Amino acid sequence: MTFERGTATVRVKVWDLLQRALHWSLVASIALCWWAGEARLSLHIAFGWAALAIVASRGAWGFVGSRYARFSGFVAGARTVLGYTCDLLRGRERRYLGHNPLGGWMVVALLVCVAFVCITGILYTTDHFWGMAWVEIAHRASAWTVVALAALHLAGVAFTSWRHRENLVAAMLSGCKKADDAGGGKA
Ligand code: HEM
Ligand code: HEM
């Protein structure tokens, strides 16, 4: 926990180092996959394998990682998600220190979708599936789904940052967030 001089804002560590490193390297590996495309296929495949390794590590970290990294802390049940969504629509949703219930499911969706893209990509490189139209379609369609989810993810990050007057991107870099609001949600 750190204290900012003068403002008396208490800041707490929320995202651990591995979580942040995995997040930004996942973003980089996906961007590089996209950049490499079919034109630089061997690079594309290498970055794709890196993305899969990152997703697998984040998945494992979701069971053994620090408090806010664990799935059990942010994958909420239907009732909580519905309640949060209704509060959001009425403009009175509470602040969460970790992922909010909608954000938590977005995290799961992003991880599953990236894993699916990578698995279909790997299948496509095998002798058995090489050239099969449905594998190629599944790979491309899921890659575009990742793009759509990432756009929604960014919209959610921007909206929540605005609602709670807090720069969540900076928090994903530093790991720290303000500790007010009665302990900060499902903290
Ligand atoms: C281990 C992981 C991956 C492997 C083995 C892989 C493999 C491939 C292969 C073999 C192709 C060429 C398909 C063809 O000939 O039409 C391809 C295309 C493509 N992949 Fe992947 N890929 C992987 C991960 C990813 C990821 C993470 C993304 C993005 C989220 C992605 C997005 C695409 C796209 C958009 C294309 C079409 C490229 C173009 O039209 O230039 N791939 N991938
Ligand atoms: C393909 C692109 C992206 C993917 C697959 C992705 C995936 C993820 C995942 C899996 C998490 C959860 C992190 C964890 O709990 O360990 C997350 C959180 C987060 N991401 Fe991304 N991300 C992407 C792009 C971005 C970009 C471009 C930014 C900002 C410029 C960003 C900002 C954030 C922030 C601020 C959080 C924390 C959200 C919160 O406070 O609840 N992401 N992202």
Side-chain angles (χ1 to χ4, degrees), residues 74-153:
F74 66 81
V75 180
R79 189 183 276 217
T80 309
V81 175
L82 207 67
Y84 180 80
T85 310
C86 290
D87 287 347
L88 190 74
L89 294 174
R90 291 193 195 105
R92 58 169 202 222
E93 77 284 6
R94 62 192 274 215
R95 173 182 180 252
Y96 279 72
L97 249 194
H99 300 301
N100 67 48
L102 283 176
W105 278 104
M106 177 54 87
V107 169
V108 174
L110 281 164
L111 293 174
V112 168
C113 198
V114 174
F116 187 83
V117 179
C118 295
I119 290 164
T120 51
I122 292 165
L123 284 183
Y124 200 68
T125 57
T126 61
D127 287 345
H128 188 75
F129 290 99
W130 181 256
M132 281 194 187
W134 71 266
V135 185
E136 189 185 338
I137 291 168
H139 186 61
R140 286 181 192 220
S142 52
W144 281 103
T145 308
V146 167
V147 173
L149 288 175
L152 266 178
H153 169 57

Side-chain angles (χ1 to χ4, degrees), residues 15 19-20 22-24 26-27 30 58 61 68-69 74 97-100 103 106-108 110-111 114 146 150 153-154 157 168-172 177:
W15 313 123
Q19 216 178 340
R20 287 178 281 141
L22 290 175
H23 178 266
W24 295 114
L26 181 61
V27 176
I30 290 173
R58 180 59 186 95
W61 200 237
Y68 297 101
F74 66 81
L97 249 194
H99 300 301
N100 67 48
M106 177 54 87
V107 169
V108 174
L110 281 164
L111 293 174
V114 174
V146 167
H153 169 57
L154 285 179
V157 166
L168 293 180
V169 178
M172 219 348 128
K177 292 175 81 172

Side-chain angles (χ1 to χ4, degrees), residues 16-76:
D16 65 53
L17 182 63
L18 183 64
Q19 216 178 340
R20 287 178 281 141
L22 290 175
H23 178 266
W24 295 114
S25 44
L26 181 61
V27 176
S29 63
I30 290 173
L32 287 166
C33 257
W34 213 273
W35 164 78
E38 258 178 286
R40 305 168 193 86
L41 196 53
S42 49
L43 274 180
H44 178 87
I45 293 173
F47 293 129
W49 273 99
L52 186 61
I54 294 164
V55 166
S57 309
R58 180 59 186 95
W61 200 237
F63 295 98
V64 299
S66 65
R67 184 175 181 187
Y68 297 101
R70 267 180 256 139
F71 295 126
S72 58
F74 66 81
V75 180

